[in-house]
Short mmCIF file of all heavy atoms in Angstrom, two decimals:
data_model
loop_
_atom_site.label_atom_id
_atom_site.label_comp_id
_atom_site.label_asym_id
_atom_site.label_seq_id
_atom_site.Cartn_x
_atom_site.Cartn_y
_atom_site.Cartn_z
N ALA D 1 -49.97 -2.12 -13.85
CA ALA D 1 -50.32 -2.48 -12.40
C ALA D 1 -51.83 -2.36 -12.25
O ALA D 1 -52.52 -3.17 -11.57
CB ALA D 1 -49.60 -1.56 -11.46
N SER D 2 -52.42 -1.41 -12.92
CA SER D 2 -53.89 -1.20 -12.73
C SER D 2 -54.65 -2.42 -13.27
O SER D 2 -55.65 -2.83 -12.75
CB SER D 2 -54.26 0.06 -13.47
OG SER D 2 -55.72 0.28 -13.36
N VAL D 3 -54.18 -2.98 -14.43
CA VAL D 3 -54.78 -4.17 -14.98
C VAL D 3 -54.75 -5.27 -13.96
O VAL D 3 -55.88 -5.89 -13.71
CB VAL D 3 -53.99 -4.63 -16.20
CG1 VAL D 3 -54.51 -6.00 -16.73
CG2 VAL D 3 -54.14 -3.66 -17.39
N ALA D 4 -53.68 -5.49 -13.31
CA ALA D 4 -53.57 -6.62 -12.30
C ALA D 4 -54.43 -6.31 -11.10
O ALA D 4 -55.09 -7.27 -10.62
CB ALA D 4 -52.11 -6.72 -11.90
N GLU D 5 -54.47 -5.05 -10.69
CA GLU D 5 -55.31 -4.68 -9.56
C GLU D 5 -56.80 -4.95 -9.85
O GLU D 5 -57.54 -5.47 -8.99
CB GLU D 5 -55.09 -3.24 -9.12
CG GLU D 5 -53.65 -3.07 -8.60
CD GLU D 5 -53.18 -1.63 -8.59
OE1 GLU D 5 -54.00 -0.73 -8.92
OE2 GLU D 5 -52.02 -1.36 -8.32
N HIS D 6 -57.23 -4.51 -11.03
CA HIS D 6 -58.64 -4.70 -11.37
C HIS D 6 -58.99 -6.26 -11.44
O HIS D 6 -60.11 -6.68 -11.08
CB HIS D 6 -58.99 -4.09 -12.66
CG HIS D 6 -59.29 -2.63 -12.51
ND1 HIS D 6 -58.40 -1.63 -12.69
CD2 HIS D 6 -60.53 -2.03 -12.33
CE1 HIS D 6 -58.97 -0.51 -12.51
NE2 HIS D 6 -60.28 -0.63 -12.22
N ARG D 7 -58.08 -7.06 -11.88
CA ARG D 7 -58.21 -8.48 -11.96
C ARG D 7 -58.43 -9.06 -10.57
O ARG D 7 -59.34 -9.91 -10.37
CB ARG D 7 -57.09 -9.15 -12.70
CG ARG D 7 -57.41 -10.65 -13.07
CD ARG D 7 -56.34 -11.32 -13.77
NE ARG D 7 -56.68 -12.63 -14.00
CZ ARG D 7 -55.84 -13.63 -14.46
NH1 ARG D 7 -54.59 -13.30 -14.64
NH2 ARG D 7 -56.21 -14.87 -14.69
N VAL D 8 -57.64 -8.61 -9.64
CA VAL D 8 -57.78 -9.14 -8.26
C VAL D 8 -59.11 -8.73 -7.68
O VAL D 8 -59.78 -9.53 -7.06
CB VAL D 8 -56.66 -8.51 -7.35
CG1 VAL D 8 -56.94 -8.92 -5.90
CG2 VAL D 8 -55.30 -9.07 -7.71
N ILE D 9 -59.58 -7.52 -7.97
CA ILE D 9 -60.94 -7.13 -7.48
C ILE D 9 -62.01 -8.01 -8.09
O ILE D 9 -62.91 -8.49 -7.41
CB ILE D 9 -61.21 -5.57 -7.82
CG1 ILE D 9 -60.11 -4.74 -7.13
CG2 ILE D 9 -62.61 -5.22 -7.35
CD1 ILE D 9 -60.22 -3.28 -7.59
N ALA D 10 -61.92 -8.16 -9.48
CA ALA D 10 -62.90 -9.10 -10.12
C ALA D 10 -62.93 -10.48 -9.55
O ALA D 10 -63.98 -11.06 -9.37
CB ALA D 10 -62.63 -9.04 -11.64
N ASP D 11 -61.76 -10.98 -9.36
CA ASP D 11 -61.62 -12.35 -8.76
C ASP D 11 -62.26 -12.44 -7.38
O ASP D 11 -63.02 -13.40 -7.12
CB ASP D 11 -60.19 -12.79 -8.69
CG ASP D 11 -59.63 -13.17 -10.04
OD1 ASP D 11 -60.37 -13.50 -10.97
OD2 ASP D 11 -58.36 -13.14 -10.19
N ALA D 12 -62.04 -11.38 -6.56
CA ALA D 12 -62.65 -11.38 -5.23
C ALA D 12 -64.11 -11.29 -5.33
O ALA D 12 -64.85 -11.94 -4.51
CB ALA D 12 -62.03 -10.28 -4.47
N ILE D 13 -64.65 -10.50 -6.19
CA ILE D 13 -66.09 -10.36 -6.30
C ILE D 13 -66.68 -11.75 -6.81
O ILE D 13 -67.74 -12.19 -6.36
CB ILE D 13 -66.53 -9.25 -7.25
CG1 ILE D 13 -66.14 -7.92 -6.59
CG2 ILE D 13 -68.06 -9.25 -7.52
CD1 ILE D 13 -66.34 -6.74 -7.46
N ALA D 14 -65.96 -12.32 -7.79
CA ALA D 14 -66.46 -13.55 -8.34
C ALA D 14 -66.51 -14.66 -7.30
O ALA D 14 -67.36 -15.57 -7.29
CB ALA D 14 -65.56 -14.00 -9.49
N ALA D 15 -65.50 -14.66 -6.31
CA ALA D 15 -65.40 -15.59 -5.26
C ALA D 15 -66.39 -15.29 -4.11
O ALA D 15 -66.50 -16.10 -3.19
CB ALA D 15 -63.98 -15.62 -4.68
N GLY D 16 -67.08 -14.24 -4.19
CA GLY D 16 -68.02 -13.88 -3.15
C GLY D 16 -67.44 -13.51 -1.88
O GLY D 16 -67.94 -13.73 -0.79
N ASP D 17 -66.22 -12.80 -1.93
CA ASP D 17 -65.47 -12.49 -0.72
C ASP D 17 -65.54 -10.95 -0.60
O ASP D 17 -64.72 -10.18 -1.10
CB ASP D 17 -64.02 -12.94 -0.81
CG ASP D 17 -63.27 -12.77 0.42
OD1 ASP D 17 -63.59 -11.89 1.16
OD2 ASP D 17 -62.32 -13.55 0.67
N PRO D 18 -66.52 -10.43 0.20
CA PRO D 18 -66.67 -8.99 0.39
C PRO D 18 -65.47 -8.27 0.86
O PRO D 18 -65.14 -7.13 0.46
CB PRO D 18 -67.91 -8.84 1.34
CG PRO D 18 -68.62 -10.15 1.28
CD PRO D 18 -67.48 -11.11 0.97
N GLU D 19 -64.86 -8.78 1.94
CA GLU D 19 -63.73 -8.05 2.52
C GLU D 19 -62.47 -8.02 1.64
O GLU D 19 -61.78 -7.01 1.60
CB GLU D 19 -63.42 -8.68 3.88
CG GLU D 19 -64.52 -8.48 4.96
CD GLU D 19 -65.01 -7.03 4.97
OE1 GLU D 19 -64.12 -6.09 5.10
OE2 GLU D 19 -66.25 -6.79 4.90
N LEU D 20 -62.23 -9.11 0.93
CA LEU D 20 -61.09 -9.13 -0.02
C LEU D 20 -61.45 -8.18 -1.12
O LEU D 20 -60.49 -7.45 -1.57
CB LEU D 20 -60.91 -10.54 -0.53
CG LEU D 20 -59.78 -10.72 -1.55
CD1 LEU D 20 -58.47 -10.21 -1.01
CD2 LEU D 20 -59.63 -12.11 -2.03
N ALA D 21 -62.59 -8.06 -1.61
CA ALA D 21 -62.99 -7.17 -2.77
C ALA D 21 -62.77 -5.73 -2.29
O ALA D 21 -62.19 -4.88 -2.95
CB ALA D 21 -64.48 -7.40 -3.14
N ALA D 22 -63.17 -5.39 -1.01
CA ALA D 22 -63.01 -4.13 -0.53
C ALA D 22 -61.57 -3.73 -0.34
O ALA D 22 -61.10 -2.63 -0.57
CB ALA D 22 -63.80 -3.94 0.79
N HIS D 23 -60.82 -4.66 0.23
CA HIS D 23 -59.35 -4.46 0.52
C HIS D 23 -58.62 -4.31 -0.80
O HIS D 23 -57.76 -3.32 -0.94
CB HIS D 23 -58.78 -5.64 1.26
CG HIS D 23 -57.27 -5.42 1.57
ND1 HIS D 23 -56.83 -4.46 2.35
CD2 HIS D 23 -56.20 -6.17 1.11
CE1 HIS D 23 -55.48 -4.58 2.49
NE2 HIS D 23 -55.12 -5.58 1.69
N ALA D 24 -58.96 -5.10 -1.84
CA ALA D 24 -58.28 -4.97 -3.15
C ALA D 24 -58.62 -3.58 -3.79
O ALA D 24 -57.76 -2.99 -4.43
CB ALA D 24 -58.74 -6.08 -4.02
N THR D 25 -59.82 -3.17 -3.55
CA THR D 25 -60.26 -1.92 -4.10
C THR D 25 -59.49 -0.74 -3.42
O THR D 25 -58.98 0.24 -4.04
CB THR D 25 -61.75 -1.63 -3.90
OG1 THR D 25 -62.42 -2.69 -4.63
CG2 THR D 25 -62.19 -0.30 -4.42
N HIS D 26 -59.33 -0.88 -2.00
CA HIS D 26 -58.56 0.07 -1.30
C HIS D 26 -57.12 0.23 -1.77
O HIS D 26 -56.60 1.37 -2.00
CB HIS D 26 -58.55 -0.33 0.22
CG HIS D 26 -57.83 0.63 1.10
ND1 HIS D 26 -58.40 1.70 1.70
CD2 HIS D 26 -56.57 0.64 1.45
CE1 HIS D 26 -57.50 2.32 2.42
NE2 HIS D 26 -56.39 1.75 2.28
N LEU D 27 -56.51 -0.92 -2.02
CA LEU D 27 -55.05 -0.88 -2.45
C LEU D 27 -55.05 -0.28 -3.88
O LEU D 27 -54.10 0.47 -4.13
CB LEU D 27 -54.54 -2.30 -2.54
CG LEU D 27 -54.23 -2.96 -1.17
CD1 LEU D 27 -53.71 -4.37 -1.34
CD2 LEU D 27 -53.13 -2.11 -0.40
N HIS D 28 -55.97 -0.62 -4.75
CA HIS D 28 -55.91 -0.12 -6.10
C HIS D 28 -56.04 1.44 -6.07
O HIS D 28 -55.29 2.13 -6.68
CB HIS D 28 -57.15 -0.66 -6.92
CG HIS D 28 -57.39 0.12 -8.16
ND1 HIS D 28 -56.48 0.19 -9.19
CD2 HIS D 28 -58.52 0.82 -8.52
CE1 HIS D 28 -57.02 0.95 -10.12
NE2 HIS D 28 -58.24 1.36 -9.79
N LEU D 29 -56.98 1.95 -5.26
CA LEU D 29 -57.19 3.45 -5.16
C LEU D 29 -55.97 4.10 -4.50
O LEU D 29 -55.63 5.25 -4.94
CB LEU D 29 -58.42 3.69 -4.43
CG LEU D 29 -59.72 3.23 -5.07
CD1 LEU D 29 -61.00 3.57 -4.31
CD2 LEU D 29 -59.83 3.80 -6.46
N HIS D 30 -55.35 3.46 -3.55
CA HIS D 30 -54.18 3.99 -2.90
C HIS D 30 -53.04 4.16 -4.00
O HIS D 30 -52.41 5.20 -4.09
CB HIS D 30 -53.62 3.14 -1.80
CG HIS D 30 -52.34 3.44 -1.24
ND1 HIS D 30 -52.13 4.54 -0.45
CD2 HIS D 30 -51.12 2.93 -1.48
CE1 HIS D 30 -50.83 4.60 -0.16
NE2 HIS D 30 -50.16 3.68 -0.84
N HIS D 31 -52.84 3.19 -4.73
CA HIS D 31 -51.77 3.22 -5.77
C HIS D 31 -52.17 4.24 -6.87
O HIS D 31 -51.30 4.90 -7.41
CB HIS D 31 -51.56 1.87 -6.48
CG HIS D 31 -50.98 0.83 -5.47
ND1 HIS D 31 -49.94 1.12 -4.65
CD2 HIS D 31 -51.33 -0.51 -5.31
CE1 HIS D 31 -49.66 0.06 -3.95
NE2 HIS D 31 -50.51 -0.92 -4.32
N ALA D 32 -53.44 4.34 -7.22
CA ALA D 32 -53.93 5.33 -8.29
C ALA D 32 -53.61 6.71 -7.78
O ALA D 32 -53.14 7.50 -8.58
CB ALA D 32 -55.33 5.04 -8.56
N LEU D 33 -54.01 6.95 -6.48
CA LEU D 33 -53.86 8.28 -6.01
C LEU D 33 -52.29 8.68 -5.95
O LEU D 33 -51.88 9.79 -6.38
CB LEU D 33 -54.44 8.44 -4.67
CG LEU D 33 -54.26 9.84 -3.96
CD1 LEU D 33 -54.74 10.93 -4.76
CD2 LEU D 33 -54.85 9.76 -2.51
N THR D 34 -51.54 7.74 -5.47
CA THR D 34 -50.08 7.96 -5.41
C THR D 34 -49.54 8.30 -6.79
O THR D 34 -48.68 9.22 -6.92
CB THR D 34 -49.38 6.70 -4.83
OG1 THR D 34 -49.82 6.49 -3.48
CG2 THR D 34 -47.86 6.93 -4.78
N SER D 35 -50.00 7.51 -7.84
CA SER D 35 -49.45 7.79 -9.18
C SER D 35 -49.85 9.09 -9.68
O SER D 35 -49.05 9.84 -10.32
CB SER D 35 -50.05 6.70 -10.09
OG SER D 35 -49.65 6.91 -11.41
N VAL D 36 -51.12 9.54 -9.40
CA VAL D 36 -51.55 10.87 -9.89
C VAL D 36 -50.81 11.89 -9.23
O VAL D 36 -50.37 12.96 -9.81
CB VAL D 36 -53.07 10.93 -9.59
CG1 VAL D 36 -53.52 12.44 -9.77
CG2 VAL D 36 -53.86 10.10 -10.59
N LEU D 37 -50.64 11.85 -7.91
CA LEU D 37 -49.90 12.92 -7.14
C LEU D 37 -48.43 12.99 -7.62
O LEU D 37 -47.86 14.07 -7.66
CB LEU D 37 -50.03 12.68 -5.65
CG LEU D 37 -51.47 12.84 -5.15
CD1 LEU D 37 -51.37 12.52 -3.57
CD2 LEU D 37 -52.03 14.14 -5.40
N THR D 38 -47.86 11.86 -7.93
CA THR D 38 -46.43 11.79 -8.43
C THR D 38 -46.37 12.51 -9.74
O THR D 38 -45.46 13.38 -10.04
CB THR D 38 -46.01 10.42 -8.59
OG1 THR D 38 -45.99 9.78 -7.21
CG2 THR D 38 -44.56 10.36 -9.07
N ALA D 39 -47.35 12.27 -10.66
CA ALA D 39 -47.40 12.89 -11.96
C ALA D 39 -47.60 14.36 -11.80
O ALA D 39 -47.00 15.20 -12.53
CB ALA D 39 -48.49 12.29 -12.84
N LEU D 40 -48.43 14.76 -10.91
CA LEU D 40 -48.74 16.21 -10.63
C LEU D 40 -47.51 16.97 -10.13
O LEU D 40 -47.23 18.14 -10.49
CB LEU D 40 -49.85 16.32 -9.78
CG LEU D 40 -50.38 17.74 -9.47
CD1 LEU D 40 -50.74 18.44 -10.79
CD2 LEU D 40 -51.57 17.76 -8.53
N SER D 41 -46.75 16.34 -9.23
CA SER D 41 -45.61 16.90 -8.69
C SER D 41 -44.56 17.18 -9.76
O SER D 41 -43.78 18.14 -9.65
CB SER D 41 -45.02 16.14 -7.48
OG SER D 41 -44.55 14.89 -7.98
N ALA D 42 -44.47 16.24 -10.72
CA ALA D 42 -43.50 16.40 -11.81
C ALA D 42 -44.00 17.48 -12.86
O ALA D 42 -43.05 18.08 -13.47
CB ALA D 42 -43.35 15.05 -12.54
N ASP D 43 -45.21 17.55 -13.09
CA ASP D 43 -45.74 18.53 -14.07
C ASP D 43 -47.20 18.98 -13.67
O ASP D 43 -48.14 18.23 -14.00
CB ASP D 43 -45.78 17.84 -15.45
CG ASP D 43 -46.26 18.83 -16.52
OD1 ASP D 43 -46.40 20.02 -16.20
OD2 ASP D 43 -46.47 18.47 -17.70
N PRO D 44 -47.36 20.04 -13.00
CA PRO D 44 -48.65 20.46 -12.53
C PRO D 44 -49.55 20.93 -13.66
O PRO D 44 -50.72 21.07 -13.45
CB PRO D 44 -48.34 21.64 -11.58
CG PRO D 44 -47.05 22.17 -12.04
CD PRO D 44 -46.29 20.98 -12.55
N ASP D 45 -49.08 21.30 -14.80
CA ASP D 45 -49.90 21.92 -15.85
C ASP D 45 -50.98 21.05 -16.33
O ASP D 45 -52.09 21.61 -16.64
CB ASP D 45 -48.98 22.28 -17.07
CG ASP D 45 -48.15 23.53 -16.80
OD1 ASP D 45 -48.42 24.22 -15.77
OD2 ASP D 45 -47.28 23.82 -17.52
N PRO D 46 -50.88 19.61 -16.45
CA PRO D 46 -52.08 18.91 -16.88
C PRO D 46 -53.25 19.13 -16.07
O PRO D 46 -54.39 18.93 -16.52
CB PRO D 46 -51.50 17.50 -16.80
CG PRO D 46 -50.08 17.60 -16.97
CD PRO D 46 -49.70 18.91 -16.27
N VAL D 47 -53.20 19.50 -14.78
CA VAL D 47 -54.35 19.70 -13.96
C VAL D 47 -54.72 21.19 -13.85
O VAL D 47 -55.83 21.57 -14.09
CB VAL D 47 -54.08 19.08 -12.56
CG1 VAL D 47 -55.25 19.38 -11.56
CG2 VAL D 47 -53.91 17.59 -12.64
#
């Protein structure tokens, strides 16, 4: 999923669309944080 999200951000920057680039970044970071917190709730020891 992260691969696809980074590609969307890169495409938005290449297209010169600031708001789409920022929105795609926002979604990527939301999903990244959710994934990390889910992993942490399952096994807190790695942190």
Side-chain angles (χ1 to χ4, degrees):
S2 179
V3 171
E5 291 160 10
H6 275 92
R7 188 180 182 191
V8 172
I9 299 169
D11 283 339
I13 295 174
D17 190 329
E19 293 312 310
L20 179 57
H23 180 65
T25 300
H26 179 91
L27 286 178
H28 165 64
L29 296 180
H30 170 75
H31 293 315
L33 176 58
T34 299
S35 176
V36 168
L37 295 180
T38 299
L40 183 57
S41 66
D43 181 7
D45 285 349
V47 173

